[in-house]
Amino acid sequence: QVQLVESGGGLVQAGGSLRLSCKFSGDIFTGYSMGWYRQAPGRQRELVASITRGSSPNYGDFVRDRFRISRDGARMTVYLQMNSLKPEDTGVYYCNAQRIVGLPETYWGQGTQVTVSS
């Protein structure tokens, strides 16, 4: 069973930075596309960034070069470096894993809260 454990969320002032981590376990890491999604109260979940081995990362339009996603195969961990944070970045950030070999499967972490104050 794939498990995703997020960490690194917290409270930060506008203009500050946070680095989120997502630890993957339970399957072969290279067989999955990894991503970060976020959800604010009353809003639908939206893509922040995703990364697939051998492909360029994808980013949501709102990122505007402020965020960077990366993955560490040795640690089976995906990171989201967030800089120049804005209040509208506030929400619960979820790690996502999508299997890209065999039958598709999708897994979600439990989320980590990011709060950006003015």
Side-chain angles (χ1 to χ4, degrees):
Q1 179 78 19
V2 169
Q3 289 185 304
L4 305 172
V5 180
E6 303 102 328
S7 62
L11 175 64
V12 65
Q13 292 184 340
S17 298
L18 286 172
R19 183 178 137 179
L20 307 183
S21 299
C22 174
K23 179 72 174 180
F24 176 102
S25 64
D27 208 344
I28 301 174
F29 186 56
T30 54
Y32 290 79
S33 175
M34 304 297 298
W36 287 96
Y37 292 72
R38 72 184 186 187
Q39 188 167 25
R43 303 287 298 275
Q44 65 180 349
R45 192 171 298 184
E46 62 183 347
L47 172 70
V48 178
S50 66
I51 185 167
T52 302
R53 198 165 184 264
S55 301
S56 299
N58 295 314
Y59 294 97
D61 292 338
F62 58 85
V63 171
R64 296 182 180 180
D65 297 322
R66 298 180 296 125
F67 297 178
R68 176 182 168 84
I69 189 171
S70 61
R71 59 191 290 162
D72 186 327
R75 292 180 168 83
M76 296 194 295
T77 301
V78 62
Y79 303 94
L80 182 68
Q81 178 66 46
M82 303 187 292
N83 300 320
S84 302
L85 284 162
K86 304 174 181 180
E88 52 262 46
D89 294 319
T90 294
V92 179
Y93 284 67
Y94 296 92
C95 183
N96 169 268
Q98 298 184 88
R99 195 162 69 193
I100 57 176
V101 294
L103 295 176
E105 294 284 352
T106 301
Y107 301 92
W108 295 94
Q110 294 201 118
T112 184
Q113 177 70 41
V114 171
T115 303
V116 184
S117 62
S118 300

